Amino acid sequence: MTQAPAATKAARRRHDREIVALAVPAFGALVAEPLFVMADSAIVGHLGTAQLAGLAIASSLLMTAVSVFVFLAYATTAAVARRVGAGDLQSAIRQGMDGIWLALLLGAAVIAIVLPTAPALVELFGASHTAAPYAITYLRISSLGIPAMLVVLAATGVLRGLQDTKTPLYVAVGGFVANGALNAGLVYGAGLGIAGSAWGTVIAQVAMAAVYLFVVVRGARRHGASLRPDAAGIRACAQAGAPLLVRTLSLRAILMIATAVAARLGDADIAAHQIIISLWSLLAFALDAIAIAGQAIIGRYLGAGDAQGARDACRRMVQWGIAAGVVLGLLVIVSRPLFIPLFTNDQVVQNVALPALLMVALSQPICGIVFVLDGVLMGAGDGPYLAWAMLATLAVFTPVALLVPVFGGGLTALWGAMTLMMTVRMVTLWLRTRSGRWIVTGATR
């Protein structure tokens, strides 16, 4: 093998430094969300299997209600980063403020929908008569924190676009500690059961949103950016995020279908699925840390008109994604027997979860490629393609997952269908990245 030119080595080192500087703090911030769910699962799981099954359904619905609007973070990151690359900080922060105002409007609308429809939503997921009351209680209380969650998404996007992933890390660590302490105190100390877990999470999310608002408002005043809501700017944010909304709805539909199928397999299966999906989310957010770095770096390069820099950064981040996926997969294999007892003492649930976790471990290198390329295309503002690619993935996954209860295989077969889903995503994203059509330079796409 020939020695790489010195310039190539220097470029790789530069990309590595940029990736590490953004991805490491981003990892800490990203894992806060699944760690919230994992902490809730660990605390509620020891109340009983019915409570854990109820939490599984309610948290899936709650995360759907929030995650469909993840474009508030992703689209904002890309738009702000492009303007940073073009040297227009005032416009960058103004773009972020529009996203925060949109987050508040959407949060209020979601509460108005979720509160009265909670029983119907839980029933739609096929919850058993023992799990349903717990699911409804958790869902209704937790929905009150949705506006705060969406503000956190939008404000996080602003800071990422400004190449700042350290502040979200500090806020996330504080939120996680507060969430754990509040949950333990309210569930066991105050004797509120699953309701205490929901209230603890709401309080922690509101506190996090308050801190983010303080940081962003301070930055806006420093750079002379207006804090007032701008109807045209809010509409522009909504329009830019529409393709990512379709993409995210398709992904959440996949996760909801998986949860619904697991619920129909029985309480033990849905409880095991909750444990696995908590770990899968943690792993996904860990890999997404590289993708977050990709969004910020790619957006900045394209905003500055450096197409070759964007290509080189993309190539290097894919290498990082593969390596991270291999390491995470090995960690899951080694830690399987130790991980599951943290969430339940039910031997039936443990026996169901163990083989399914092996499937999760084997899929991690594929997940590494998927999350990185997803982040690259988001950073480039290539939302329409991401929307169509995810719709195609949903079309492949749905019939396969729905056939699991018919042909057997249980939870392991369901997670085999999830691995197929990630493989389809990898192919569609790789084809787009290879084409080069995502590369559009300038302050706006």
Side-chain angles (χ1 to χ4, degrees):
M1 181 179 295
T2 59
Q3 183 72 17
T8 301
K9 285 187 174 181
R12 287 179 179 174
R13 287 194 295 269
R14 184 178 70 253
H15 289 314
D16 288 346
R17 287 194 298 269
E18 286 183 328
I19 293 168
V20 170
L22 292 172
V24 172
F27 168 75
L30 285 166
V31 298
E33 185 175 333
L35 283 175
F36 272 38
V37 178
M38 290 178 70
D40 290 356
S41 299
I43 293 171
V44 172
H46 291 286
L47 293 175
T49 299
Q51 287 90 334
L52 183 58
L55 174 64
I57 294 169
S59 63
S60 180
L61 286 164
L62 182 67
M63 293 313 301
T64 297
V66 174
S67 296
V68 293
F69 301 117
V70 74
F71 71 84
L72 291 166
Y74 292 159
T76 302
T77 298
V80 171
R82 275 184 178 268
R83 286 163 174 79
V84 169
D88 189 355
L89 287 177
Q90 185 183 70
S91 176
I93 297 177
R94 176 64 257 183
Q95 179 86 17
M97 287 304 305
D98 291 335
I100 290 174
W101 281 110
L102 179 60
L104 289 170
L105 293 174
L106 292 173
V110 172
I111 289 180
I113 294 171
V114 171
L115 283 178
T117 61
L121 291 171
V122 169
E123 183 180 357
L124 181 65
F125 262 61
S128 68
H129 69 279
T130 55
Y134 299 111
I136 294 169
T137 296
Y138 190 92
L139 180 60
R140 278 182 164 160
I141 296 173
S142 294
S143 68
L144 300 177
I146 288 175
M149 296 181 195
L150 298 189
V151 167
V152 167
L153 286 177
T156 299
V158 177
L159 296 179
R160 289 174 184 165
L162 294 170
Q163 317 294 296
D164 175 12
T165 56
K166 290 183 179 179
T167 300
L169 170 62
Y170 301 146
V171 177
V173 170
F176 173 70
V177 172
N179 179 69
L182 287 166
N183 272 256
L186 294 174
V187 170
Y188 297 115
L192 296 180
I194 196 169
S197 178
W199 279 116
T201 300
V202 169
I203 295 170
Q205 290 285 359
V206 170
M208 290 173 66
V211 174
Y212 271 119
L213 286 174
F214 172 79
V215 173
V216 174
V217 168
R218 184 180 60 185
R221 287 175 175 168
R222 181 184 305 126
H223 294 285
S226 174
L227 299 175
R228 296 179 180 179
D230 176 65
I234 293 172
R235 282 196 302 271
C237 285
Q239 290 169 357
L244 291 181
L245 176 61
V246 173
R247 170 253 182 210
T248 305
L249 282 171
S250 300
L251 177 58
R252 293 309 305 181
I254 288 170
L255 298 179
M256 286 195 297
I257 290 169
T259 300
V261 170
R264 283 162 175 78
L265 294 174
D267 277 2
D269 290 86
I270 185 61
H273 180 72
Q274 170 63 13
I275 295 171
I276 294 171
I277 202 70
S278 297
L279 176 63
W280 190 80
S281 297
L282 175 61
L283 297 172
F285 278 102
L287 293 171
D288 208 26
I290 306 173
I292 293 301
Q295 290 176 31
I297 292 170
I298 295 296
R300 192 186 75 235
Y301 274 122
L302 295 179
D306 188 353
Q308 188 57 48
R311 289 190 187 94
D312 294 342
C314 172
R315 187 178 304 111
R316 192 58 176 163
M317 282 182 284
V318 169
Q319 294 170 355
W320 275 74
I322 294 171
V326 170
V327 171
L328 291 175
L330 291 174
L331 287 175
V332 172
I333 292 174
V334 171
S335 64
R336 278 187 310 153
L338 303 175
F339 174 79
I340 298 175
L342 293 175
F343 294 88
T344 180
N345 297 321
D346 191 324
Q347 191 61 48
V348 176
V349 176
Q350 292 184 19
N351 292 339
V352 171
L354 275 171
L357 270 179
L358 180 60
M359 189 67 68
V360 171
L362 295 175
S363 70
Q364 288 311 295
I366 296 173
C367 293
I369 297 172
V370 168
F371 281 102
V372 167
L373 293 182
D374 206 39
V376 166
L377 296 183
M378 285 183 187
D382 200 14
Y385 180 83
L386 290 172
W388 284 111
M390 190 59 74
L391 285 171
T393 303
L394 174 61
V396 172
F397 171 80
T398 301
V400 176
L402 294 179
L403 287 173
V404 168
V406 177
F407 291 102
L411 196 64
T412 302
L414 177 60
W415 278 93
M418 291 287 286
T419 301
L420 171 65
M421 178 269 294
M422 294 303 293
T423 303
V424 173
R425 289 187 69 191
M426 180 182 69
V427 172
T428 58
L429 295 173
W430 177 78
L431 289 173
R432 182 63 169 185
T433 306
R434 186 180 181 186
S435 74
R437 295 177 183 174
W438 53 280
I439 298 177
V440 178
T441 58
T444 58
R445 184 178 172 86

